[in-house]
Amino acid sequence: MLNQLQPSLSTPPRQQGRSPKFTTWNIVHRFQTNIAGTHNLSLLFIKVLCKHRERTMGEEQRSALLRASKPPPKELFSTLITANHILHYHDVVDAYGHISVRNPQDPNNFFMSRSLAPALVSKREDLEEYRVSDASPINKDAPKGYAERYIHSEIYKKYKGINSVVHAHAEAVLPFSVGSIPLRPVFHMGGVMGVQCPVFDIAQHYKSSDALHSMLVTNEHLGAGLAAAFNPTTMLSRGTNLLRSFVTSQPEVPPDVPPSPTVLMRGHGFACVGTTIEEAVYRAIYTCVNARVQTQSLLMQGTYNIGLVGERFGGGDKETGPAKHEDIKYLSDREAKDSWSAIQGTADRPWNSWCAEVANSSLYHNDLGPPPGA
């Protein structure tokens, strides 16, 4: 049969715009000329096609395939388990709340615990892998997951430089999500939050298809709305971006790392991001610390201002005009940015201390052992 086909294939047809080295005729011809003396025809043909695919595949694709072929290191899961414990130990999360990490071998996926209280996450089997594209589990038989994993998937989808996400309902932060007083850095450790924390109001993002207005981020469009809040825009910046897109004919591209690393969620809690698990945990803890310090400062300053009003009313006719009012001193934008830049290189110091704290608590168990360096 092959001999009958040979005459019709003896002369390669002209194929405009195709590389002569990898035309269909050449692939088949190579296959025909190499089958003599072998019975494994299908294997040889597959090898030829794979060789062609390998030569035409881009370097980036080859690199991605190579990474995906290697399982993530055990240390990644050990660190993620310990991060759950640290967040619980420091009252950032309770039975609710979660932390995730992007898969370093395949950035299109991420890992987080199944639906489990963070303090009880203890082994590799507690961690599931999900797709960034739609937050669906890789394992079709995966146990029940967190309903709000769309928080994580949509942030990873929008910001390529983010590798870890924390979501929590910390009581210290909640008042700032429902009032008119913004959460801002009041001491140098608070610079990790960013200059100011935007507030995501989920009510502005519900659609008619949302059966429940439960405040929970349980689908892609609600998660996308939250992710966009990490890169807040003004009327001026929106106009500038539209003009730039019109002139260059290029769509606006979000930054790899958002300018606001912490976002409050009205009546719900907050979410924060990091380039590593350690950074995300650091940011979550000191966001709560800053919130407590700011609350205490506001209470003290409010009491002081009330005292000033009392003095004014008791001062007789000599005192005129509005009563004196003073505010607490916040970090300037420059101070907030520079504070985090200065202290970022020492973030391993509290991390190692936190690892030791949870390792010496009988509540927490990490079957994979302590994280590297802890």
Side-chain angles (χ1 to χ4, degrees), residues 212-365:
L212 297 175
H213 291 195
S214 62
M215 309 297 289
L216 303 181
V217 180
T218 54
N219 57 48
E220 290 180 50
H221 69 261
L222 293 177
L226 173 60
F230 285 85
N231 186 25
T233 57
T234 62
M235 289 292 291
L236 178 61
S237 64
R238 281 196 294 269
T240 302
N241 291 334
L242 285 173
L243 180 60
R244 184 185 297 112
S245 298
F246 177 77
V247 172
T248 62
S249 299
Q250 297 292 330
E252 182 184 357
V253 179
D256 287 347
V257 176
S260 297
T262 305
V263 170
L264 308 188
M265 303 165 69
R266 180 182 67 84
H268 186 168
F270 75 97
C272 67
V273 299
T275 56
T276 64
I277 293 175
E278 294 87 345
E279 182 181 304
V281 169
Y282 186 101
R283 180 163 286 121
I285 290 176
Y286 279 107
T287 292
C288 295
V289 173
N290 189 96
R292 288 194 291 268
V293 174
Q294 185 176 347
T295 297
Q296 190 66 31
S297 300
L298 289 168
L299 289 171
M300 291 176 61
Q301 190 65 53
T303 302
Y304 177 74
N305 288 337
I306 290 174
L308 290 178
V309 172
E311 289 179 7
R312 172 58 52 86
F313 281 107
D317 296 335
K318 295 181 180 179
E319 298 288 345
T320 59
K324 184 179 180 182
H325 177 85
E326 294 185 5
D327 199 359
I328 63 175
K329 301 292 191 299
Y330 294 97
L331 269 64
S332 67
D333 293 0
R334 171 74 181 273
E335 288 172 332
K337 293 176 181 177
D338 288 354
S339 293
W340 171 233
S341 296
I343 209 165
Q344 190 172 7
T346 66
D348 59 326
R349 189 190 308 170
W351 170 259
N352 291 334
S353 175
W354 297 333
C355 288
E357 288 173 344
V358 297
N360 285 281
S361 170
S362 60
L363 173 61
Y364 310 109
H365 300 281

Side-chain angles (χ1 to χ4, degrees), residues 136-279:
S136 62
I138 298 297
N139 176 14
K140 61 182 180 63
D141 297 320
K144 180 182 178 181
Y146 293 121
E148 290 194 288
R149 58 184 181 272
Y150 297 93
I151 292 173
H152 304 256
S153 62
E154 292 301 317
I155 290 174
Y156 290 133
K157 188 185 298 183
K158 192 173 184 66
Y159 306 108
K160 296 180 180 179
I162 294 304
N163 296 311
S164 188
V165 178
V166 173
H167 168 57
H169 311 147
E171 294 178 13
V173 175
L174 274 170
F176 294 96
S177 76
V178 296
S180 58
I181 299 175
L183 180 61
R184 296 174 56 187
V186 290
F187 77 130
H188 67 296
M189 304 297 283
V192 69
M193 300 187 310
V195 173
Q196 186 169 311
C197 300
V199 179
F200 167 71
D201 188 350
I202 196 171
Q204 300 174 6
H205 298 271
Y206 287 127
K207 293 184 177 181
S208 58
S209 57
D210 293 318
L212 297 175
H213 291 195
S214 62
M215 309 297 289
L216 303 181
V217 180
T218 54
N219 57 48
E220 290 180 50
H221 69 261
L222 293 177
L226 173 60
F230 285 85
N231 186 25
T233 57
T234 62
M235 289 292 291
L236 178 61
S237 64
R238 281 196 294 269
T240 302
N241 291 334
L242 285 173
L243 180 60
R244 184 185 297 112
S245 298
F246 177 77
V247 172
T248 62
S249 299
Q250 297 292 330
E252 182 184 357
V253 179
D256 287 347
V257 176
S260 297
T262 305
V263 170
L264 308 188
M265 303 165 69
R266 180 182 67 84
H268 186 168
F270 75 97
C272 67
V273 299
T275 56
T276 64
I277 293 175
E278 294 87 345
E279 182 181 304

Side-chain angles (χ1 to χ4, degrees), residues 65-79:
L65 285 175
L66 182 62
R67 290 197 309 271
S69 66
K70 299 178 181 178
K74 183 187 76 170
E75 292 77 15
L76 179 76
F77 303 118
S78 172
T79 302

Side-chain angles (χ1 to χ4, degrees), residues 15 19 21 31 43-44 50 54 56 78 129 166 212 262 267 310 326 343 345 369:
Q15 299 188 32
S19 170
K21 192 173 183 180
F31 168 69
L43 179 61
L44 182 58
C50 288
E54 183 180 329
T56 57
S78 172
E129 187 173 10
V166 173
L212 297 175
T262 305
E326 294 185 5
I343 209 165

